Amino acid sequence: MTSPRNRRDRRALLSSLWPMLLAVSVGIYFFGLGGQYVPTNGDELVYAHIARLTSASGHWLPLASELHNMRNTKPPLLFWQAMVATDWGHHWQLFALRLPSLIYTLLITAAIGATVRRITQDAQRGWIAACVYLSFFCTFRYGRPYLTSAPESFWLDLPMFALLWYLLPRRHEAVAPIVAANEIPPSKSITGAPGSRFVFSTYALFSIGTGLAFGLGAAYKSFALIAPAAAALWCAILFSAPSLTSRLMLGATLSVGISTLVGLGIFSLWFLLDPDPGAIWREFVIGENAGKLVDRQGYWHEALHGGSSSLWAMLLAYVENAGLLAFVAMGLAGVGLSALVRRSIQRFRGGATGQPLPGYVWVLLAWLGVWLIVFSLPSQRSARYVIPAMPALAMLVALYWQRIRRGWFLASLLLVGLATLALGRIGWVMHDLQIASTPAWVSALTLVLTTCAVIVAGAFKAAWTRACTVGASLLVFASFGLTVAPLDGQSGRYDAAANPRLSNARIAVPSNFNAQYERFQFLLPGNRFAPFDFDTMGSSPAALEKLQALLRTHDAVVWVQTDPALATAPCLPNCTVLARRWVVKERHKSGEITWANLWLPHTWLFSREWLLTQ
């Protein structure tokens, strides 16, 4: 038998692993931050383009852009952040553009961990919550790039964190630590509620502070985000109270109403400071926001039959955002539904329904529910719209960590295994195509095998399953970064010798999406770029004729050869090759990827790109 001392030592060792995992997670998020192929939103380069031109103008406002009807598509705080981070464009690097977003993500992570630790009086549970949040794919995808949800999430979520901390006991009033792994602190750990403890001075301070947070969040993305943030806060205040009174409802409504007006007032400063407020109204208010409420196919047709934009898809928004932890999110929903059914049966039989939910759990549920409901109403729906509510999901997963059945974690481990297998195959192909060197391939393979070992350990050791699921999910992110790393090296960038030959040159570059040509500002800086339609490239006679025309009218041309088996430029010997590199196809046509070629990523994932001159 294991002695009590040995069990204590084992628990202490396991507890120390969580902060180590969190430190590794932070390193994973920093790794490859300035790379070309971090998971991101396709519009990132659009906003980088606006930030670069606004920096070049030497003025904070108006925003500048060469794109038609794409200038005032986001409030200025997003662009001012980029201008400051890059020293007004003097250090124009993707790492500098993205670093503020990652800092915001880490601040949210710290708030999640500290809040759960305060709730449970258990440091380990706080580490778990932070690691779970960083394990969500939506956090990895939208918590690092320049165009991200991290800044507005931080500011819009700040009032919810403040409310949670208000509901929690003071340090000298703290309840005893949780004694059972499957319990969360009961409602007696709450020392008060807004209805009994909010006085007018507290209302004023809370309202103004919340309004400032709402305004800063809106100044990053949209004034429309104040609606779900304010509604979630109002519902959270009411739901977390031990009883509803007219005084509580009036005070909560007045407080949130003042916060909303302050937030809208801060956002409205954009109209006052910009020399062309009419353009803001046309391009941002009408074009960017009101346009999402209109659907040519009809509202209910889109809601019921709109595919990824339907109400049914929106119901799975949190599951989709969880990514590799999708089944864990479903398991948490199962815990809630089973508890609801059990309470309903007990109430129907006339028995006691058990201990009421703690106030902070109501806050988290209101946080999740209101954001989902509000963004189910517009005709344009997307899972990424509810990303500001993902901290609540991470905290609930940590609070109900042991109540989520092991089977859900095993299902997520299977999903992690499939992702690991896909990354291993892609790395193998990159080595075969000589994109990745042997040492790079061995490094990526070692990490893939490590992830597999963690998956096997979690599958066969019940006590390790939950921790291994989170750890393996984070290792997948690391594997992704290590797999694409060669594309940010010699294989994926132009030879430095090509840059001196091109200075202030006019270069024709392919672009198949909004401002995709902006990526060449990081690859061939100091030149001018003229985009042309990506779909016209290839080796057909018509494509080659267009290539020759571009070579005659430009100093250089970037041409993509979609067949990776062709190792020579299509225009030889009538052109000169300055440099070449490997690129990843980021947008695919329907039917280009099938089950038949899924194991053959070299046929649909990689292309050669040539830098050519006459």
Side-chain angles (χ1 to χ4, degrees), residues 538-586:
S539 302
S540 66
L544 293 179
E545 182 178 348
K546 178 165 185 176
L547 173 57
Q548 292 298 334
L550 290 171
L551 286 169
R552 288 192 297 269
T553 56
H554 296 79
D555 298 315
V557 176
V558 172
W559 196 259
V560 175
Q561 186 67 53
T562 54
D563 185 356
L566 300 178
T568 59
C571 58
L572 291 176
N574 300 318
C575 63
T576 301
V577 177
L578 296 180
R580 70 175 185 177
R581 70 185 188 112
W582 285 98
V583 295
V584 172
K585 300 178 187 176
E586 295 181 319

Side-chain angles (χ1 to χ4, degrees), residues 111-464:
I112 290 170
T115 302
V116 171
R117 177 174 181 172
R118 185 71 175 272
I119 290 173
T120 61
Q121 300 298 307
D122 182 1
Q124 178 175 319
R125 204 68 72 93
W127 299 120
I128 291 173
C131 290
V132 167
Y133 180 68
L134 293 179
S135 299
F136 291 152
F137 181 68
C138 70
T139 310
F140 188 67
R141 180 179 180 182
Y142 294 105
R144 301 199 304 161
Y146 167 52
L147 180 63
T148 177
S149 296
E152 67 266 19
S153 293
F154 173 81
W155 290 111
L156 295 173
D157 292 349
L158 203 56
M160 299 297 284
F161 282 113
L163 178 62
L164 283 169
W165 278 70
Y166 175 82
L167 290 171
L168 297 176
R170 301 294 182 263
R171 291 189 181 276
H172 66 278
E173 300 170 328
V175 297
I178 303 174
V179 294
N182 64 341
E183 293 180 0
I184 61 173
S187 57
K188 68 179 182 180
S189 64
I190 300 175
T191 60
S196 60
R197 297 183 59 185
F198 269 25
V199 294
F200 285 109
S201 60
T202 306
Y203 270 128
L205 182 61
F206 182 78
S207 301
I208 294 173
T210 298
L212 291 172
F214 284 172
L216 290 171
Y220 266 107
K221 185 62 70 75
S222 173
F223 65 92
L225 291 182
I226 296 179
L233 182 62
W234 184 79
C235 290
I237 292 174
L238 298 183
F239 292 173
S240 61
S243 61
L244 285 178
T245 64
S246 58
R247 181 182 178 184
L248 171 62
M249 295 186 66
L250 178 61
T253 303
L254 181 62
S255 176
V256 175
I258 293 173
S259 300
T260 301
L261 292 176
V262 172
L264 290 173
I266 293 174
F267 178 85
S268 299
L269 292 175
W270 184 16
F271 289 86
L272 297 177
L273 298 174
D274 197 291
D276 188 6
I280 300 174
W281 179 263
R282 293 189 305 272
E283 298 171 15
F284 183 77
V285 177
I286 302 300
E288 185 74 8
N289 288 270
K292 294 180 180 179
L293 300 175
V294 178
D295 192 282
R296 295 179 179 178
Q297 294 183 338
Y299 179 85
W300 289 109
H301 182 276
E302 183 71 21
L304 300 177
H305 309 287
S308 60
S309 189
S310 68
L311 281 171
W312 319 119
M314 195 64 187
L315 290 175
L316 296 175
Y318 292 118
V319 174
E320 179 182 339
N321 285 338
L324 296 174
L325 297 186
F327 289 105
V328 175
M330 294 171 66
L332 176 66
V335 171
L337 289 175
S338 62
L340 180 63
V341 170
R342 186 169 57 252
R343 286 171 180 266
S344 299
I345 293 175
Q346 290 172 344
R347 185 179 293 109
F348 177 77
R349 292 176 175 177
T353 57
Q355 195 175 55
L357 286 176
Y360 52 79
V361 174
W362 280 113
V363 171
L364 298 175
L365 293 175
W367 194 344
L368 290 168
V370 171
W371 275 86
L372 182 64
I373 292 171
V374 170
F375 280 107
S376 296
L377 299 178
S379 57
Q380 182 177 330
R381 303 172 185 87
S382 174
R384 70 177 184 271
Y385 294 158
V386 299
I387 286 177
M390 292 303 290
L393 183 64
M395 287 187 278
L396 282 173
V397 168
L399 289 172
Y400 290 89
W401 185 244
Q402 293 293 340
R403 295 193 188 184
I404 302 173
R405 293 185 179 275
R406 179 173 178 256
W408 294 108
F409 287 90
L410 290 173
S412 283
L413 272 178
L414 177 61
L415 197 60
V416 171
L418 294 175
T420 303
L421 181 65
L423 287 173
R425 175 56 180 166
I426 291 172
W428 180 1
V429 169
M430 289 176 65
H431 181 250
D432 286 346
L433 293 175
Q434 298 183 348
I435 300 174
S437 64
T438 299
W441 160 230
V442 170
S443 298
L445 178 62
T446 301
L447 191 54
V448 166
L449 293 177
T450 301
T451 307
C452 292
V454 173
I455 293 171
V456 171
F460 288 95
K461 185 72 172 179
W464 297 353

Side-chain angles (χ1 to χ4, degrees), residues 52-68:
R52 180 177 59 83
L53 291 186
T54 306
S55 297
S57 72
H59 301 286
W60 295 102
L61 290 172
L63 302 175
S65 174
E66 295 175 350
L67 301 170
H68 179 64

